[in-house]
Amino acid sequence: MTSAKTISLTTTTGITLTYPSKQPTPNSTTGEIAPEHKQLTGNKLLTNPSLEPTLASLKGRPVALMIEQTLYDLMTPITSGGTVKILTLADAETLPIYRHTAAHVMAYAIRTLFPDVKFAIGPAIDNGFYYDMDNITLNASDFKAIEKAMQTIIKEQFENKRFEISYKEALALFKDEPYKIELIKDLGETTPLTYYKMGDFIDLCRGPHLPTIAPIKGFKLNKLAGAYWRGKATNKMLTRLYALAFLDKPSLKTYITKVAEQERYDHNKIGREMDLFINDALVGQGLPLLTHKGTLVKQRIQTLVETEERRAGYLHTLTPHLAKSDLYKTSGHWDHYKDSMFIIQSGDDEFALRPMTCPFHFALYNSQRRSYKELPIRYAETSTLFRNEASGEMHGLIRVRQFTLSDGHIICTNDQVEQEFKSCLELLLYFLKILDIKNYTFRLSKWDAAEAGSKFIDNPAMWEQTEDQMRTILTKYNYSFVEAVGEAAFYGPKLDVQTTNVYGKEDTLLTIQIDFALPERFKMTYIDENDKKQQPVVIHRASIGCYERTIALLVERYHGNLPFWLAPDQIAIFPVHNKLTAYAKGLETQFIKEGFQVLCDTREESLGKRIRSVQKSRIPYLLIIGDKEQATETLSVRTRDNKVLDGIAIKDFIAACHEMQRNHLLECQVSTLKKTATS
RNA sequence: GCUGGCUUAGCUCAAUUGGCAGAGCAGCUGACUUGUAAUCAGCAGGUUGUGGGUUCGACUCCCAUGGCCAGCUCCA
């Protein structure tokens, strides 16, 4: 049938595969395939007939290949050998291909309903795909019609055909698609171009794709948003339509249920429900007010952080919340961030609320002549910072205009950088461990040479050196990390600890940065052992990051059930009837003396009602006090997960609470109490 | 800042095509004295975010604006 030369590949299952060397080419004027090439498309590529995909069902059949970690679809000629994994729909590696093909189906459907639409890009993403479009107005009420059109298209079981075309042919074929034309021109005349065709819908695309759209099942359009063309805010904003896509409807449903479940723990909802913070339109956007409960949580974390920092050799400072603009001009922040600083004009003087602490610590350092014998100097401050974030950026406690950073700056010699960097890392890992935060990843945030001089200080040698330094340390101590170009600070690379919120949105929780630029700008020096002036290195670091963001993460991590030592109200006391009020009040006093935060509810309401009324506060322990408890000097302890333990001796309960408080224990030590109760 | 959605009592939500703003919870008053997630009855609660406009008449339609939510962009 073909004159294909055979390229032999080793497969994990020992199957030999052959591939045709010749590819179908389109008729350049119409975009149609020449008839003699038709048999080369689709599913004729495997020599083992039992493995051939069929249009009717791809279940258990090969749909794509992975050769040396690169994905190929079955329509693409293979030009090099290697270890091959044959992928079926069941393989995890296939899912992005499936989603990408589904994106094309959606585009096809939209084209039939909105013929004037102009397509940009439509990639697979986690959990689904999106397509960016122009010249179209959509709203959620269009979703059903689009989904229905997609179903209709899928029923046709179109093959997904692949074509290689020249630069000129591509320009002609996509002449009505301005965004595709821009992509083609950017790829240039020398890059091989391909497009895919299903039914009468064609799309410029590198692939890979499923050989047929028949198996596409579990999808749901879910979100409409604006997105800048090529991710640049100066470009036109396009319409982005997001969809979820899974192999089948049950997995789609499972995912939707899971997400709904997760979103119930949004700190922005339950943080307010727990009465940790509020917002007030008169105060302003991005300026949350912590209630007394939120303040208790913050103060407790702060105590932990500052205690550990002192142990780690940090010197705590208190520096001004504003400074003359000259300070930020010296640091370079003015050039980079002037627009997002709060600037205050006072007579002839220009001030700004501080957006970071570093120059203040540098001023302290520079207030004396420093010897190498003093280094490293480790400054730390629980620092209030102000950043005028864009109005669309604010989010609960995660992104705000005023926040409190567990900030710190280590000024050290070049030789001390590795040790100090490692200590910073260990300190923040210690905090993450105590708080039992596990959903984080390390990101080595590097500069982008393309933006040298504008976004980043133009000193390639120093960038290379510090990034290597960081990479070496991380590798040496076996921390796995991803590298991200263009995510550095303007003065140096960062190790960012990234986390995600309940919506899966990624944010930086903690950061350690090596700074080679600001010591120069602030003319920081020390005298070395040879009586020579040297320039120190600065490490910027955060212990727990910003308290507001950390509280948000904790609320989501614990679903509001903060550990005993962090819970705003730790214990609530409920006398069963009002003759026990005095006794309950006595207990309250006793617990307060022990240092716990206690609520005593003596309202003349039913016990059930009073218990119900504190459920939203998620108090770890409710103590029900009846005549029996008073007579035996015991407690009936109800935990917030609704377990009831009767007959707990008061002193044992107090001891257990102290234990949890002192050791920052995560679990309410119900088992300990129980043991005491039954012994 | 941009795109889309939303904005009604303290909270959660109703109110047909433009035709008298309504309920539950919370609050207050009274009765009940309570054993582990809502005792009963009554009362009160609003310039429908704000400012304009269209209309005999606007919660409803239009314009502007504040705020909230998701996404994009940004994040020292």
Side-chain angles (χ1 to χ4, degrees):
Chain A
M1 86 186 182
T2 76
S3 58
K5 73 174 176 189
T6 303
I7 297 167
S8 291
L9 302 165
T10 325
T11 75
T12 46
T13 47
I15 294 159
T16 303
L17 306 168
T18 58
Y19 287 86
S21 62
K22 206 171 168 204
Q23 268 301 288
T25 51
N27 177 319
S28 59
T29 51
T30 64
E32 288 302 312
I33 332 164
E36 68 272 23
H37 293 313
K38 272 189 175 163
Q39 74 274 21
L40 292 182
T41 64
N43 56 0
K44 303 289 188 191
L45 301 174
L46 296 164
T47 53
N48 184 339
S50 69
L51 288 174
E52 274 192 25
T54 65
L55 290 183
S57 168
L58 293 179
K59 205 173 175 189
R61 310 253 174 195
V63 294
L65 304 170
M66 192 165 67
I67 305 174
E68 299 294 327
Q69 302 305 310
T70 305
L71 289 169
Y72 291 88
D73 59 32
L74 301 184
M75 299 76 84
T76 303
I78 304 303
T79 51
S80 63
T83 305
V84 180
K85 184 175 177 189
I86 298 176
L87 301 176
T88 69
L89 281 176
D91 290 298
E93 295 92 334
T94 309
L95 208 45
I97 302 177
Y98 172 91
R99 289 176 171 144
H100 188 187
T101 300
H104 278 221
V105 173
M106 183 174 81
Y108 193 174
I110 290 170
R111 162 77 73 221
T112 62
L113 298 169
F114 305 87
D116 296 332
V117 64
K118 304 296 177 198
F119 289 111
I121 56 163
I125 51 171
D126 281 356
N127 309 314
F129 58 87
Y130 66 77
Y131 219 117
D132 283 351
M133 298 161 282
D134 196 11
N135 208 31
I136 187 170
T137 311
L138 288 177
N139 58 52
S141 58
D142 298 314
F143 287 6
K144 277 223 164 79
I146 297 171
E147 283 171 357
K148 207 175 156 196
M150 287 173 72
Q151 300 291 8
T152 309
I153 290 164
I154 291 163
K155 270 192 202 134
E156 296 291 332
Q157 304 195 353
F158 291 121
E159 279 183 71
N160 218 337
K161 298 169 187 169
R162 176 183 184 275
F163 304 95
E164 293 179 359
I165 45 171
S166 72
Y167 178 75
K168 272 193 177 158
E169 288 168 329
L171 287 181
L173 194 56
F174 291 98
K175 63 181 188 313
D176 295 325
E177 290 283 358
Y179 297 98
K180 300 292 180 189
I181 294 290
E182 197 177 322
L183 291 172
I184 292 164
K185 285 186 174 165
D186 263 31
L187 289 167
E189 300 197 29
T190 51
T191 313
L193 295 168
T194 55
Y195 73 87
Y196 283 77
K197 182 173 186 194
M198 55 175 75
D200 57 7
F201 178 76
I202 60 164
D203 198 352
L204 181 78
C205 186
R206 183 174 44 194
H209 277 287
L210 298 183
T212 159
I213 63 170
I216 292 171
K217 283 195 190 77
F219 62 88
K220 183 177 166 57
L221 311 193
N222 74 328
K223 222 160 34 180
L224 203 49
Y228 298 107
W229 166 234
R230 310 200 117 179
K232 278 216 172 101
T234 46
N235 285 346
K236 187 170 184 189
M237 181 158 274
L238 308 174
T239 302
R240 176 173 294 179
L241 180 52
Y242 285 94
L244 303 171
F246 292 84
L247 275 189
D248 48 44
K249 283 182 179 162
S251 7
L252 174 70
K253 211 171 165 190
T254 306
Y255 175 78
I256 291 171
T257 314
K258 199 183 94 190
V259 167
E261 173 78 5
Q262 279 231 303
E263 289 180 4
R264 277 178 45 218
Y265 305 125
D266 182 352
H267 84 279
N268 211 10
K269 294 195 190 98
I270 61 175
R272 291 173 201 277
E273 192 176 290
M274 291 165 73
D275 194 26
L276 298 180
F277 70 101
I278 61 150
N279 278 93
D280 186 300
L282 281 176
V283 174
Q285 246 194 326
L287 296 169
L289 287 72
L290 293 191
T291 62
H292 76 281
K293 291 187 186 180
T295 305
L296 277 168
V297 177
K298 191 204 150 192
Q299 286 173 335
R300 295 200 182 116
I301 305 171
Q302 189 178 336
T303 302
L304 169 76
V305 166
E306 291 180 350
T307 305
E308 291 304 324
E309 282 176 343
R310 271 193 293 280
R311 280 184 193 158
Y314 284 86
L315 312 170
H316 285 102
T317 63
L318 278 173
T319 58
H321 287 197
L322 76 167
K324 292 198 291 179
S325 57
D326 304 65
L327 182 72
Y328 312 111
K329 285 172 187 161
T330 304
S331 68
H333 288 90
W334 191 262
D335 288 343
H336 287 272
Y337 301 109
K338 180 170 170 272
D339 290 344
S340 46
M341 285 166 71
F342 291 104
I343 296 163
I344 302 164
Q345 201 68 39
S346 173
D348 292 337
D349 294 322
E350 186 179 44
F351 293 90
L353 291 174
R354 66 171 175 198
M356 36 55 213
T357 328
C358 26
F360 299 87
H361 279 160
F362 301 161
L364 285 170
Y365 178 87
N366 280 344
S367 66
Q368 291 180 28
R369 169 149 301 189
R370 302 294 179 180
S371 152
Y372 73 96
K373 292 177 189 167
E374 292 177 76
L375 302 186
I377 291 178
R378 306 184 190 93
Y379 290 119
E381 181 160 338
T382 303
S383 185
T384 307
L385 302 180
F386 307 83
R387 295 181 186 176
N388 193 1
E389 305 285 1
S391 63
E393 302 298 348
M394 264 73 78
H395 174 58
L397 291 179
I398 287 180
R399 196 80 183 269
V400 291
R401 282 185 167 147
Q402 179 190 314
F403 56 96
T404 318
L405 192 69
S406 56
D407 210 351
H409 299 91
I410 297 166
I411 299 147
C412 62
T413 69
N414 206 35
D415 291 344
Q416 292 168 332
V417 168
E418 178 175 336
Q419 178 55 41
E420 290 303 310
F421 187 91
K422 183 174 167 248
S423 301
C424 290
L425 196 48
E426 282 168 355
L427 185 63
L428 64 83
L429 286 171
Y430 173 75
F431 290 125
L432 291 175
K433 188 166 173 253
I434 285 190
L435 297 170
D436 199 40
I437 293 169
K438 291 175 184 139
N439 71 326
Y440 62 84
T441 54
F442 289 129
R443 182 179 79 180
L444 173 51
S445 299
K446 306 189 289 184
W447 80 315
D448 185 352
E451 293 182 280
S454 55
K455 200 174 169 190
F456 302 105
I457 278 178
D458 192 3
N459 188 342
M462 285 310 291
W463 282 106
E464 200 172 313
Q465 187 198 316
T466 42
E467 287 175 6
D468 277 350
Q469 211 168 7
M470 247 186 210
R471 196 182 291 109
T472 306
I473 298 168
L474 289 168
T475 311
K476 182 170 168 184
Y477 298 105
N478 245 339
Y479 295 108
S480 55
F481 58 96
V482 297
E483 303 198 11
V485 173
E487 296 288 346
F490 73 86
Y491 49 70
K494 305 191 287 174
L495 172 69
D496 291 323
V497 179
Q498 300 295 105
T499 187
T500 52
N501 73 357
V502 289
Y503 296 97
K505 185 166 174 160
E506 187 175 313
D507 260 308
T508 301
L509 184 65
L510 308 166
T511 180
I512 310 175
Q513 310 165 2
I514 299 178
D515 176 2
F516 55 83
L518 297 187
E520 166 81 38
R521 285 179 181 243
F522 280 89
K523 300 194 171 22
M524 295 162 75
T525 58
Y526 66 91
I527 308 299
D528 72 5
E529 47 274 71
N530 302 314
D531 202 24
K532 288 232 171 74
K533 265 192 186 175
Q534 299 288 350
Q535 186 175 295
V537 178
V538 167
I539 298 174
H540 305 241
R541 44 106 275 168
S543 288
I544 200 64
C546 137
Y547 284 92
E548 290 77 3
R549 190 174 285 184
T550 300
I551 290 170
L553 177 65
L554 289 173
V555 166
E556 296 186 356
R557 150 71 183 83
Y558 288 106
H559 300 171
N561 296 319
L562 295 173
F564 182 81
W565 68 279
L566 278 176
D569 283 319
Q570 298 170 300
I571 299 163
I573 302 172
F574 298 92
V576 165
H577 53 77
N578 64 5
K579 292 189 192 77
L580 289 163
T581 299
Y583 178 69
K585 286 282 179 191
L587 277 177
E588 182 190 20
T589 309
Q590 191 180 350
F591 286 122
I592 290 171
K593 276 188 184 155
E594 294 288 339
F596 302 117
Q597 189 72 22
V598 193
L599 178 154
C600 185
D601 188 349
T602 56
R603 286 179 300 164
E604 296 186 356
E605 298 284 355
S606 72
L607 180 61
K609 181 164 179 172
R610 282 179 287 155
I611 288 175
R612 188 168 206 277
S613 72
V614 298
Q615 294 297 323
K616 283 183 174 177
S617 304
R618 296 162 165 89
I619 300 170
Y621 293 112
L622 311 185
L623 308 180
I624 314 302
I625 307 299
D627 297 319
K628 198 167 70 189
E629 281 71 27
Q630 184 184 25
T632 57
E633 292 192 357
T634 61
L635 302 168
S636 172
V637 180
R638 182 191 171 112
T639 67
R640 61 190 153 190
D641 54 348
N642 302 321
K643 293 193 179 81
V644 176
L645 299 159
D646 287 323
I648 309 290
I650 295 173
K651 65 172 176 34
D652 291 340
F653 179 70
I654 289 175
C657 289
H658 276 306
E659 170 82 0
M660 284 183 281
Q661 180 116 311
R662 196 169 45 238
N663 298 326
H664 306 115
L665 297 181
L666 300 173
E667 293 293 323
C668 306
Q669 295 300 291
V670 173
S671 52
T672 315
L673 288 173
K674 222 172 198 169
K675 224 179 283 168
T676 318
T678 52
S679 64

